[in-house]
Every structure is written in C-alpha cells, then in structure tokens.
Amino acid sequence: MIRATEKARHLMGQIVKPGDWVVDATVGNGNDTLLLADLVGPSGRVFGFDIQAAAISATRLRISHLPQVTLIHAGHETLAAHLQTLESTGDRPALAAAMFNLGYLPGSSKNIVTQAGTSLAGLEQALAALKINGLVTLVLYPGHPGGADEAAALRSYAQNLPDNFSVAHHARTDTQRPAPELLAITRSG
Ligand SMILES: C[S@@+](CC[C@H](N)C(=O)[O-])C[C@H]1O[C@@H](n2cnc3c(N)ncnc32)[C@H](O)[C@@H]1O
C-alpha cells in the first residue's frame, strides 16, 4: 500500500507545472521542498516554511543550487503575511499547490510538533491563495501524541469547506494503530 507521504508527492507530480508558485508548509529535512523545486523548475517559485532553525539550515544546504527556493524561518500561519509582502512588490502570489506534512521532524525533538491551531491557520491561508485547479495536501499523523486531535480538527475543517473545494481523504483501514492519513483538497472554482 502506498504511504500517505508518497501519495501526496504523486499528486503533486500530476498538478504542479514548470513556472508555478508553490508552498512547502513544513520544510523539515527538505525532501518535499526538493520535489517541488524540481516540478516548478527555474522559472517557478517555492516558498518553504519551518519553525526550526535546524530544518531551515539543513535544507538550505540541499537547495543552495536552486534559486527558485525561498526558505522562511517562520510558521506556516504567517503564510498570508509573507505572500502579502510579495504582492506589494508587484509579484502575483496565486499558488498552484501547498504541501503540509505535519507532526515532528524525524530524528529531532518530538516536542516540536505541529499544532491544530497553527495548522488550521496555515491551511486556511493556503486555500485563500490557491488558484483554480490548485491542490493542497496534508499528511496527518493521528498516532502521534496530540496528533489525533489535530487530525480530527483538520478533517472537520476540510469536510466543511464551501462547494468550490473538493476533498479526498485517504486512510488505511487495515492497521491496528492509527496510520498516517492524507487529505487532498482541490479548488474547482
Ligand atoms: C514531518 S516534518 C516535515 C517533513 C518534510 N516535509 C520533509 O520532506 O522532510 C514536520 C515539520 O513541521 C515543522 N513545523 C512544526 N510547526 C510548524 C509551523 N507552525 N509552521 C511550519 N513548520 C512547522 C517541524 O519543525 C518539522 O520540521
């Protein structure tokens, strides 16, 4: 069975095109940032957010040859404010996609973990900036401490979006413990 993270990456590969503007809302070790940089190419832009300096600096080493990537050491709940800054410089910040891979940074402190309130704020801001046919993916970790509440809040928010968004929910039903899940939200109008 394909993992939630792989499914998210697969969906991004179908949607994101050269020249697009996209967001990696949780940079972590930079794997999704690199994928997005590859998909948008040198004419696109990737904005990567993380609250951990270690994640930003580790990823900075991996993307130093990729001028299309801008790393931002701040929470994704500041996404709208950062896009606003770009708008005031005359650039158009409509997003083709945003990836949220929630939870904690593998190999790092499990105490630094995404929170329902800021994840919801980041999601809301990403959806507000999303262009038609754009995609937001969220990998949820209901098995982590605190992860079940965060996953429930995001599922509920997604299920109550207006009709111009469609939501797919991929979750395993054959595991004893809660497995990572994927929400894939597309703006259709
Ligand atoms: C599962 S990791 C991301 C993995 C990453 N996408 C990759 O490909 O390696 C989750 C990351 O979210 C970050 N994080 C936690 N709260 C955040 C917030 N409010 N805004 C942005 N990043 C946050 C953590 O520091 C951690 O690096």
Short mmCIF file of all heavy atoms in Angstrom, two decimals, residues 9 24-33 49-52 55 62 74-77 100-106 112-115 118-119 141, ligand 1:
data_model
loop_
_atom_site.label_atom_id
_atom_site.label_comp_id
_atom_site.label_asym_id
_atom_site.label_seq_id
_atom_site.Cartn_x
_atom_site.Cartn_y
_atom_site.Cartn_z
N ARG A 9 3.09 13.19 -2.73
CA ARG A 9 4.12 13.55 -3.72
C ARG A 9 3.67 13.17 -5.13
O ARG A 9 3.90 13.92 -6.10
CB ARG A 9 5.44 12.86 -3.36
CG ARG A 9 6.06 13.41 -2.07
CD ARG A 9 7.12 12.50 -1.49
NE ARG A 9 8.29 12.36 -2.33
CZ ARG A 9 9.32 13.21 -2.36
NH1 ARG A 9 9.31 14.28 -1.56
NH2 ARG A 9 10.34 13.03 -3.17
N ASP A 24 5.91 24.81 0.43
CA ASP A 24 6.14 23.68 1.32
C ASP A 24 5.94 24.23 2.73
O ASP A 24 6.79 24.96 3.24
CB ASP A 24 7.55 23.11 1.14
CG ASP A 24 7.75 21.87 2.01
OD1 ASP A 24 6.85 21.57 2.84
OD2 ASP A 24 8.80 21.21 1.87
N ALA A 25 4.81 23.88 3.35
CA ALA A 25 4.42 24.49 4.63
C ALA A 25 5.19 23.91 5.81
O ALA A 25 5.13 24.48 6.91
CB ALA A 25 2.92 24.31 4.84
N THR A 26 5.88 22.79 5.61
CA THR A 26 6.65 22.14 6.68
C THR A 26 7.93 21.56 6.05
O THR A 26 7.97 20.40 5.68
CB THR A 26 5.83 21.00 7.33
OG1 THR A 26 5.33 20.16 6.29
CG2 THR A 26 4.67 21.51 8.16
N VAL A 27 8.96 22.38 5.97
CA VAL A 27 10.17 22.02 5.22
C VAL A 27 10.86 20.77 5.77
O VAL A 27 11.29 19.89 5.02
CB VAL A 27 11.13 23.23 5.20
CG1 VAL A 27 12.53 22.82 4.81
CG2 VAL A 27 10.61 24.29 4.25
N GLY A 28 11.02 20.69 7.10
CA GLY A 28 11.67 19.53 7.71
C GLY A 28 13.02 19.26 7.10
O GLY A 28 13.88 20.15 7.02
N ASN A 29 13.23 18.03 6.63
CA ASN A 29 14.52 17.67 6.02
C ASN A 29 14.63 18.07 4.56
O ASN A 29 15.63 17.77 3.91
CB ASN A 29 14.77 16.17 6.17
CG ASN A 29 15.04 15.80 7.62
OD1 ASN A 29 15.76 16.52 8.32
ND2 ASN A 29 14.46 14.70 8.09
N GLY A 30 13.59 18.68 4.02
CA GLY A 30 13.68 19.26 2.68
C GLY A 30 13.31 18.34 1.53
O GLY A 30 13.44 18.72 0.36
N ASN A 31 12.82 17.16 1.84
CA ASN A 31 12.51 16.22 0.74
C ASN A 31 11.38 16.76 -0.16
O ASN A 31 11.49 16.71 -1.39
CB ASN A 31 12.11 14.85 1.31
CG ASN A 31 13.23 14.24 2.11
OD1 ASN A 31 14.35 14.17 1.65
ND2 ASN A 31 12.93 13.84 3.33
N ASP A 32 10.33 17.27 0.46
CA ASP A 32 9.22 17.81 -0.34
C ASP A 32 9.65 19.11 -1.03
O ASP A 32 9.23 19.39 -2.15
CB ASP A 32 7.99 18.05 0.54
CG ASP A 32 7.41 16.74 1.08
OD1 ASP A 32 7.58 15.70 0.42
OD2 ASP A 32 6.81 16.77 2.17
N THR A 33 10.48 19.90 -0.35
CA THR A 33 10.97 21.14 -0.96
C THR A 33 11.71 20.83 -2.27
O THR A 33 11.51 21.49 -3.29
CB THR A 33 11.93 21.88 0.00
OG1 THR A 33 11.34 21.95 1.30
CG2 THR A 33 12.24 23.28 -0.48
N PHE A 49 8.42 26.90 4.57
CA PHE A 49 8.29 27.40 5.94
C PHE A 49 8.68 26.31 6.94
O PHE A 49 8.31 25.15 6.78
CB PHE A 49 6.83 27.78 6.24
CG PHE A 49 6.35 28.99 5.50
CD1 PHE A 49 5.89 28.89 4.19
CD2 PHE A 49 6.35 30.24 6.10
CE1 PHE A 49 5.45 30.01 3.50
CE2 PHE A 49 5.91 31.37 5.42
CZ PHE A 49 5.46 31.25 4.12
N ASP A 50 9.39 26.70 7.99
CA ASP A 50 9.58 25.82 9.15
C ASP A 50 9.96 26.66 10.35
O ASP A 50 10.66 27.67 10.22
CB ASP A 50 10.66 24.75 8.90
CG ASP A 50 10.43 23.51 9.75
OD1 ASP A 50 10.54 23.61 11.01
OD2 ASP A 50 10.12 22.44 9.19
N ILE A 51 9.49 26.23 11.51
CA ILE A 51 9.78 26.97 12.74
C ILE A 51 11.13 26.58 13.33
O ILE A 51 11.62 27.24 14.24
CB ILE A 51 8.68 26.76 13.80
CG1 ILE A 51 8.48 25.28 14.11
CG2 ILE A 51 7.38 27.41 13.37
CD1 ILE A 51 7.57 25.03 15.32
N GLN A 52 11.75 25.49 12.82
CA GLN A 52 13.01 25.02 13.40
C GLN A 52 14.20 25.49 12.57
O GLN A 52 14.30 25.16 11.36
CB GLN A 52 13.03 23.49 13.44
CG GLN A 52 12.14 22.91 14.51
CD GLN A 52 12.50 21.48 14.83
OE1 GLN A 52 13.58 21.22 15.38
NE2 GLN A 52 11.61 20.56 14.50
N ALA A 55 16.00 22.72 10.72
CA ALA A 55 15.38 22.26 9.47
C ALA A 55 15.72 23.22 8.33
O ALA A 55 16.07 22.79 7.22
CB ALA A 55 13.86 22.17 9.65
N ARG A 62 20.85 21.78 1.01
CA ARG A 62 20.39 20.91 -0.08
C ARG A 62 19.87 21.70 -1.28
O ARG A 62 19.78 21.16 -2.38
CB ARG A 62 19.29 19.97 0.41
CG ARG A 62 19.73 19.05 1.53
CD ARG A 62 18.61 18.10 1.94
NE ARG A 62 18.37 17.07 0.96
CZ ARG A 62 17.36 16.19 1.01
NH1 ARG A 62 16.50 16.25 1.99
NH2 ARG A 62 17.22 15.27 0.09
N ALA A 74 9.86 30.59 9.76
CA ALA A 74 8.64 31.08 10.44
C ALA A 74 7.57 30.02 10.26
O ALA A 74 7.67 29.16 9.38
CB ALA A 74 8.19 32.40 9.85
N GLY A 75 6.53 30.12 11.06
CA GLY A 75 5.44 29.16 10.97
C GLY A 75 4.57 29.40 9.73
O GLY A 75 4.47 30.54 9.24
N HIS A 76 3.93 28.31 9.26
CA HIS A 76 3.08 28.47 8.07
C HIS A 76 1.85 29.33 8.36
O HIS A 76 1.17 29.76 7.43
CB HIS A 76 2.66 27.09 7.52
CG HIS A 76 2.31 26.09 8.55
ND1 HIS A 76 2.89 24.84 8.60
CD2 HIS A 76 1.45 26.13 9.58
CE1 HIS A 76 2.39 24.17 9.62
NE2 HIS A 76 1.52 24.92 10.23
N GLU A 77 1.60 29.61 9.63
CA GLU A 77 0.49 30.52 9.97
C GLU A 77 0.81 31.96 9.59
O GLU A 77 -0.06 32.83 9.70
CB GLU A 77 0.15 30.40 11.47
CG GLU A 77 1.25 30.79 12.44
CD GLU A 77 2.24 29.65 12.72
OE1 GLU A 77 2.25 28.64 11.99
OE2 GLU A 77 3.03 29.80 13.69
N PHE A 100 1.52 20.20 3.22
CA PHE A 100 1.68 20.17 4.68
C PHE A 100 1.98 18.73 5.07
O PHE A 100 1.15 17.84 4.82
CB PHE A 100 0.39 20.59 5.40
CG PHE A 100 0.00 22.04 5.25
CD1 PHE A 100 -0.53 22.51 4.07
CD2 PHE A 100 0.14 22.91 6.32
CE1 PHE A 100 -0.91 23.84 3.94
CE2 PHE A 100 -0.24 24.25 6.20
CZ PHE A 100 -0.77 24.71 5.01
N ASN A 101 3.16 18.51 5.64
CA ASN A 101 3.49 17.18 6.18
C ASN A 101 3.66 17.40 7.68
O ASN A 101 4.69 17.88 8.14
CB ASN A 101 4.75 16.65 5.53
CG ASN A 101 5.10 15.25 6.00
OD1 ASN A 101 4.38 14.65 6.81
ND2 ASN A 101 6.21 14.72 5.51
N LEU A 102 2.62 17.11 8.44
CA LEU A 102 2.53 17.53 9.84
C LEU A 102 3.34 16.62 10.75
O LEU A 102 4.07 15.75 10.30
CB LEU A 102 1.05 17.60 10.23
CG LEU A 102 0.22 18.54 9.33
CD1 LEU A 102 -1.25 18.52 9.72
CD2 LEU A 102 0.76 19.97 9.36
N GLY A 103 3.22 16.87 12.06
CA GLY A 103 3.96 16.05 13.02
C GLY A 103 5.30 16.66 13.36
O GLY A 103 5.47 17.88 13.34
N TYR A 104 6.28 15.82 13.67
CA TYR A 104 7.60 16.30 14.10
C TYR A 104 8.66 15.93 13.08
O TYR A 104 8.45 15.06 12.22
CB TYR A 104 7.96 15.75 15.49
CG TYR A 104 7.86 14.24 15.59
CD1 TYR A 104 8.90 13.43 15.14
CD2 TYR A 104 6.73 13.63 16.13
CE1 TYR A 104 8.81 12.04 15.23
CE2 TYR A 104 6.64 12.26 16.23
CZ TYR A 104 7.68 11.47 15.77
OH TYR A 104 7.59 10.11 15.85
N LEU A 105 9.79 16.61 13.21
CA LEU A 105 10.91 16.37 12.30
C LEU A 105 11.57 15.04 12.65
O LEU A 105 12.05 14.86 13.77
CB LEU A 105 11.92 17.52 12.46
CG LEU A 105 13.17 17.50 11.59
CD1 LEU A 105 12.81 17.63 10.11
CD2 LEU A 105 14.08 18.65 11.99
N PRO A 106 11.62 14.08 11.70
CA PRO A 106 12.24 12.79 12.01
C PRO A 106 13.68 12.98 12.48
O PRO A 106 14.43 13.77 11.91
CB PRO A 106 12.18 12.05 10.67
CG PRO A 106 11.06 12.68 9.93
CD PRO A 106 11.06 14.13 10.35
N ILE A 112 8.74 19.34 19.43
CA ILE A 112 8.47 20.42 18.46
C ILE A 112 7.63 19.79 17.35
O ILE A 112 8.14 19.09 16.48
CB ILE A 112 9.77 21.01 17.91
CG1 ILE A 112 10.65 21.48 19.06
CG2 ILE A 112 9.47 22.17 16.96
CD1 ILE A 112 12.02 21.95 18.65
N VAL A 113 6.36 20.04 17.43
CA VAL A 113 5.41 19.32 16.59
C VAL A 113 4.33 20.29 16.14
O VAL A 113 4.07 21.30 16.80
CB VAL A 113 4.83 18.13 17.41
CG1 VAL A 113 4.03 18.60 18.60
CG2 VAL A 113 4.04 17.17 16.57
N THR A 114 3.75 20.04 14.99
CA THR A 114 2.69 20.93 14.51
C THR A 114 1.50 20.89 15.47
O THR A 114 1.26 19.89 16.14
CB THR A 114 2.24 20.53 13.09
OG1 THR A 114 1.87 19.16 13.09
CG2 THR A 114 3.34 20.77 12.07
N GLN A 115 0.75 22.00 15.50
CA GLN A 115 -0.38 22.15 16.43
C GLN A 115 -1.63 22.45 15.63
O GLN A 115 -1.58 23.15 14.62
CB GLN A 115 -0.12 23.33 17.39
CG GLN A 115 1.19 23.26 18.14
CD GLN A 115 1.17 22.23 19.27
OE1 GLN A 115 0.10 21.91 19.80
NE2 GLN A 115 2.32 21.69 19.60
N THR A 118 -2.33 26.33 14.65
CA THR A 118 -1.49 26.93 13.62
C THR A 118 -1.61 26.16 12.29
O THR A 118 -1.52 26.76 11.22
CB THR A 118 -0.02 27.00 14.08
OG1 THR A 118 0.32 25.77 14.74
CG2 THR A 118 0.20 28.15 15.04
N SER A 119 -1.85 24.85 12.36
CA SER A 119 -2.04 24.09 11.11
C SER A 119 -3.31 24.55 10.42
O SER A 119 -3.34 24.73 9.19
CB SER A 119 -2.12 22.58 11.41
OG SER A 119 -0.92 22.13 11.98
N TYR A 141 -0.95 12.75 11.18
CA TYR A 141 -0.38 11.65 11.98
C TYR A 141 -1.22 11.42 13.23
O TYR A 141 -0.83 11.81 14.33
CB TYR A 141 1.08 11.98 12.35
CG TYR A 141 1.98 12.03 11.13
CD1 TYR A 141 2.14 13.20 10.41
CD2 TYR A 141 2.66 10.88 10.69
CE1 TYR A 141 2.94 13.25 9.29
CE2 TYR A 141 3.48 10.93 9.57
CZ TYR A 141 3.61 12.11 8.88
OH TYR A 141 4.42 12.14 7.76
C1 LIG B 1 7.14 15.74 9.33
S1 LIG B 1 8.22 17.12 9.36
C2 LIG B 1 8.23 17.64 7.67
C3 LIG B 1 8.99 16.72 6.72
C4 LIG B 1 9.37 17.39 5.41
N1 LIG B 1 8.21 17.75 4.63
C5 LIG B 1 10.34 16.58 4.58
O1 LIG B 1 10.07 16.32 3.41
O2 LIG B 1 11.41 16.24 5.11
C6 LIG B 1 7.25 18.39 10.15
C7 LIG B 1 7.95 19.74 10.24
O3 LIG B 1 6.98 20.72 10.60
C8 LIG B 1 7.66 21.72 11.30
N2 LIG B 1 6.69 22.60 11.97
C9 LIG B 1 6.08 22.49 13.17
N3 LIG B 1 5.23 23.51 13.37
C10 LIG B 1 5.29 24.29 12.26
C11 LIG B 1 4.66 25.51 11.85
N4 LIG B 1 3.75 26.13 12.61
N5 LIG B 1 4.98 26.01 10.64
C12 LIG B 1 5.90 25.41 9.83
N6 LIG B 1 6.54 24.27 10.18
C13 LIG B 1 6.23 23.72 11.37
C14 LIG B 1 8.58 20.95 12.24
O4 LIG B 1 9.62 21.78 12.69
C15 LIG B 1 9.03 19.82 11.30
O5 LIG B 1 10.26 20.15 10.70
#
